[in-house]
Amino acid sequence: MSDFLPFTRPSIDEETIAGVAEVLRSGWITSGPQVKAFEGRLSEYLGGRPVRAFNSGTCTMEVALRIAGVGAGHEVITTPLSWVATSNVVLAVGAKPVFVDIDPATRNIDLDRVEAAITRATRALLPVDLAGLPVDRDRLHALARKHSLRVIEDAAQALGSLWRGQRIGSFGDLVSFSFHPNKNITTIEGGCLVMNDEREAALAEQYRLQGVVRSGLDGMEVEVAGGKFNLTDVAARVGLGQLPHLSAFNARRRELARGYFRAFAECGAAELGLRLPIADFEQSNWHMFQVVLPEERLSIPRAEVMARLKDSGVGTGVHYPAIHLFALYRRLGWRPGDFPHAEYVGRNILTLPLFPAMRDDDIIRVVEALTAVLRAHIS
Ligand SMILES: Cc1ncc(COP(=O)(O)O)c(C=O)c1O
């Protein structure tokens, strides 16, 4: 058997590794000059908007909700098909997530259904660009304007994705990105929040570190109950080494995704009932390549498909089970059947290997392995 192919793997170059060693030797390893420099580069990349770095793409959203004044008694409209962080942060600030089912083609929140979910308590829309495929920003922001809502974009997976040629994050309201190792660039753990103005950025800095505001040599004030969300300089140095590669990484991802479509067409995947993602080569950063298995025709469960693929050297992942069916959310009142599209996709979605260092023939290997498993277990 050839080497095991994981579903994702970060690419970190030697220059970055040497840079991290330098930071470690510098005497300043927590938030400092590297974080400032990283924020500057991110801001340049995102059209000059204010950007602050954090230690996750979860706390960025929690802070965004606080900046937007969302709290107890408020509702936030979001998707049930995301990493659970997306709705956990709504609970964390004391507000109520209101799920709206997905469009099964894009696997993103179905904007046609959003308006019906808006109530007097709604304060914000919190959409997710699953796998980097952007939610329609024109419709999203038109809805927000019409109903005077804030928008917190969970663009954790969408760094480098475009909407009508503009980078996600370079426009809009509050935009959150993650730099978790699976993402298109990493800081090991980390994230950033893009904001509208320096007032929001100053507030973000307070929420990031215990609410502290310093002045002079010894002045300290605390205005808000902030958290401990600051990024370290070691992590920021990784990010500084990653960001210059982002465009090339994304181009390679796009090329590999094209390879998947070609290989699946040649293997007759459509006849097997396998649902491929939308073939978007304009806007998506191809954060993931995800297929949906044909549950109705398959005689083995998804876990068994994953096990067979693993045996043939192919790693896969599940991103994600529907959030409202987790025990916590069931206790809050959600039930199976509430969001049928998200539930179906959540049960059957499978993330295939996709990362910049993959070889073209890895794609063939994955597609042959998956179609072989399907052929053996499909009616
Ligand atoms: C859609 C989505 N939202 C939020 C997050 C949270 O990011 P982090 O893991 O950096 O906290 C992630 C990534 O893990 C994600 O994929």
Side-chain angles (χ1 to χ4, degrees):
M1 193 181 78
S2 38
D3 294 342
F4 186 78
L5 183 67
F7 77 82
T8 189
R9 190 165 59 206
S11 297
I12 298 175
D13 62 15
E14 290 304 318
E15 190 273 331
T16 303
I17 293 169
V20 166
E22 248 173 66
V23 173
L24 287 171
R25 291 191 192 100
S26 73
W28 193 282
I29 56 178
T30 189
S31 314
Q34 302 294 326
V35 168
K36 272 244 172 307
F38 186 42
E39 289 173 340
R41 298 283 159 75
L42 287 166
S43 178
E44 276 167 29
Y45 183 79
L46 297 168
R49 299 186 80 206
V51 180
R52 293 296 179 273
F54 289 78
N55 59 23
S56 78
T58 300
C59 62
T60 43
M61 293 192 288
E62 184 178 327
V63 167
L65 288 165
R66 293 191 193 284
I67 289 173
V70 177
H74 297 155
E75 294 177 355
V76 176
I77 294 178
T78 191
T79 170
L81 194 76
S82 180
W83 176 227
V84 68
T86 308
S87 53
N88 278 353
V89 293
V90 178
L91 297 176
V93 301
K96 181 184 171 200
V98 172
F99 296 112
V100 166
D101 207 355
I102 58 161
D103 168 346
T106 63
R107 304 164 189 165
N108 285 332
I109 192 167
D110 183 348
L111 292 177
D112 284 339
R113 298 170 190 256
V114 165
E115 212 151 21
I118 296 174
T119 71
R120 291 160 63 121
T122 310
R123 289 295 179 280
L125 305 177
L126 178 33
V128 175
D129 305 307
L130 193 70
L133 182 72
V135 168
D136 182 330
R137 293 305 198 270
D138 297 339
R139 294 191 62 202
L140 175 71
H141 291 291
L143 273 169
R145 270 193 306 276
K146 180 171 168 198
H147 296 276
S148 303
L149 301 174
R150 297 298 300 264
V151 179
I152 291 133
E153 297 174 28
D154 182 354
Q157 304 183 358
L159 192 65
S161 295
L162 303 174
W163 179 254
R164 293 192 193 282
Q166 281 185 281
R167 287 181 182 148
I168 295 299
S170 68
F171 64 97
D173 190 356
L174 298 165
V175 188
S176 168
F177 293 101
S178 166
F179 305 128
H180 175 272
N182 286 357
K183 302 298 185 283
N184 291 27
I185 65 163
T186 188
T187 59
I188 308 174
E189 298 290 351
C192 74
L193 183 63
V194 191
M195 288 154 289
N196 296 291
D197 51 43
E198 290 306 322
R199 186 198 64 83
E200 287 182 350
L203 203 47
E205 287 179 14
Q206 292 179 33
Y207 281 120
R208 180 169 65 179
L209 198 62
Q210 313 294 3
V212 164
V213 181
R214 292 179 186 278
S215 55
L217 280 182
D218 64 348
M220 188 188 295
E221 192 48 272
V222 176
E223 298 279 0
V224 298
K228 180 71 168 83
F229 301 144
N230 56 304
L231 190 72
T232 70
D233 258 21
V234 177
R237 180 61 187 85
V238 177
L240 281 164
Q242 290 270 285
L243 193 53
H245 298 293
L246 177 61
S247 294
F249 284 166
N250 287 354
R252 178 64 185 147
R253 284 174 176 277
R254 211 170 293 128
E255 206 170 81
L256 291 162
R258 277 189 196 279
Y260 267 127
F261 283 103
R262 269 195 306 271
F264 275 124
E266 278 161 24
C267 285
E271 293 90 82
L272 295 170
L274 195 67
R275 287 184 218 168
L276 301 184
I278 287 186
D280 174 327
F281 297 105
E282 295 287 311
Q283 317 211 90
S284 177
N285 68 355
W286 285 101
H287 169 59
M288 294 188 279
F289 193 97
Q290 299 178 289
V291 295
V292 175
L293 301 175
E295 185 180 62
E296 312 74 23
R297 296 174 58 191
L298 205 51
S299 60
I300 55 172
R302 175 175 60 188
E304 192 65 30
V305 174
M306 294 172 79
R308 309 254 161 136
L309 289 172
K310 192 172 173 198
D311 289 345
S312 52
V314 173
T316 53
V318 170
H319 306 90
Y320 300 94
I323 293 174
H324 66 288
L325 299 183
F326 287 131
L328 166 66
Y329 287 84
R330 287 188 197 225
R331 283 203 298 276
L332 294 171
W334 283 281
R335 294 280 170 267
D338 284 347
F339 308 106
H341 292 309
E343 290 169 28
Y344 184 92
V345 173
R347 281 195 306 273
N348 297 295
I349 199 162
L350 193 63
T351 305
L352 304 182
L354 183 66
F355 52 90
M358 260 174 82
R359 298 190 316 252
D360 293 347
D361 56 2
D362 289 329
I363 296 284
I364 309 297
R365 195 174 134 198
V366 175
V367 170
E368 284 179 352
L370 178 57
T371 48
V373 174
L374 293 181
R375 279 210 177 85
H377 299 282
I378 218 156
S379 54

